[in-house]
């Protein structure tokens, strides 16, 4: 289960979707099933990153070409995780993704969450040997993973500030300097968000 210090905001689930002849045609379905976020690191694609999100073949298509268009083998992934993962695979069986200490875990598998935590600053911290292997291979120590997590938290906090403003308004007299300051902060940061969202659309 995902919680406040989970690596991702939500555990992705693959629906049953109609088969396609090219894996690129699954892009919209995948994006929906992965809640607009990288299956591996949880970074979202809602801003400028959308154009550079990739479709990862969990078991690499170079080694397992029969799985190229198998929806159950596809992962919506940021380019940082996808490129770091590349064609790496432990062993020679597509249905055995790890040996307990090396290899990968399907991001749609519930156990994925158990291999990682976030520290209070948002840094991804592996739990156990297999988690450490995946974190190193996918370069989870990149600063962007920490900063994008902080940005998501900041947006949640801003929503809390908006509720606070309404509560303060109900109690305070008009022209309260604190309320005006908070309102300026909310509208400025929302303007930045709007710009980034429009740039990515
Ligand atoms: Zn990623």
């Amino acid at each position: 289960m995902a919680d406040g210090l989970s690596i991702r905001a939500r555990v992705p689930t693959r629906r049953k979707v109609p088969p396609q002849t090219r894996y690129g045609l699954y892009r919209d379905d995948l994006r929906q099933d992965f809640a607009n976020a990288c299956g591996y690191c949880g970074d979202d694609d809602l801003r400028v990153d959308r154009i550079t999100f990739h479709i990862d073949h969990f078991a690499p298509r170079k080694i397992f070409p029969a799985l190229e268009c198998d929806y159950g083998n596809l992962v919506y992934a940021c380019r940082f995780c996808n490129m770091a993962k590349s064609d790496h695979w432990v062993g020679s069986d597509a249905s055995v993704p790890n040996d307990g200490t090396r290899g990968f875990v399907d991001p749609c598998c519930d156990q994925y969450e158990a291999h990682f935590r976030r520290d209070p600053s948002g840094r991804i911290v592996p739990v156990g040997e297999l988690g450490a292997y995946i974190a190193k291979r996918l370069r989870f120590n990149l600063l962007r993973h920490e900063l994008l997590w902080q940005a998501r938290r900041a947006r949640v906090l801003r929503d809390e500030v908006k509720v606070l403003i309404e509560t303060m308004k109900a109690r305070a007299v008009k022209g309260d300097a604190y309320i005006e300051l908070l309102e300026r902060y909310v509208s400025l940061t929302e303007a930045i968000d709007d710009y980034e969202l429009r740039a990515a659309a």
Side-chain angles (χ1 to χ4, degrees), residues 37-44 53 76-82 112 124 138 140 144-145:
C38 174
Y40 296 109
C41 69
D43 290 352
D44 70 55
F53 258 62
Y76 194 61
C78 74
R79 72 181 191 278
F80 296 90
C81 289
N82 185 48
Y112 186 89
I124 299 170
L138 298 188
F140 280 170
R144 64 177 284 109
H145 298 312

Side-chain angles (χ1 to χ4, degrees), residues 73-193:
N73 187 47
L74 302 181
V75 177
Y76 194 61
C78 74
R79 72 181 191 278
F80 296 90
C81 289
N82 185 48
M83 288 169 78
K85 183 166 165 284
S86 187
D87 294 323
H88 193 78
W89 195 255
V90 171
S92 55
D93 187 339
S95 65
V96 182
N98 67 73
D99 64 9
T101 57
R102 296 179 316 130
F104 298 106
V105 175
D106 182 355
C108 292
C109 173
D110 250 342
Q111 286 107 53
Y112 186 89
E113 291 291 315
H115 295 285
F116 311 97
R117 297 297 293 160
R118 297 270 183 176
D119 74 8
S121 75
R123 201 164 59 91
I124 299 170
V125 182
V127 177
E129 213 172 328
L130 182 55
Y133 179 94
I134 296 169
K136 190 174 178 196
R137 175 61 60 178
L138 298 188
R139 302 182 66 210
F140 280 170
N141 61 341
L142 288 179
L143 183 60
R144 64 177 284 109
H145 298 312
E146 195 173 329
L147 292 179
L148 288 169
W149 184 88
Q150 288 173 0
R152 292 194 290 280
R153 295 282 283 208
R155 287 192 286 276
V156 172
L157 278 178
R158 187 179 60 203
D159 288 342
E160 289 177 16
V161 169
K162 284 162 84 171
V163 173
L164 178 68
I165 289 172
E166 291 311 310
T167 310
M168 289 171 77
K169 271 182 168 172
R171 290 181 190 162
V173 291
K174 201 169 159 34
D176 187 307
Y178 284 125
I179 295 176
E180 281 173 23
L181 186 66
L182 290 173
E183 282 182 327
R184 272 170 54 207
Y185 158 76
V186 167
S187 75
L188 272 172
T189 54
E190 280 185 339
I192 295 167
D193 257 11

Side-chain angles (χ1 to χ4, degrees), residues 19-24 26 57 65-72 74:
Q20 302 283 3
T21 50
R22 285 186 292 121
Y23 73 86
Y26 287 120
H57 288 81
L67 296 175
E68 175 157 354
C69 292
D70 185 333
Y71 193 70
L74 302 181

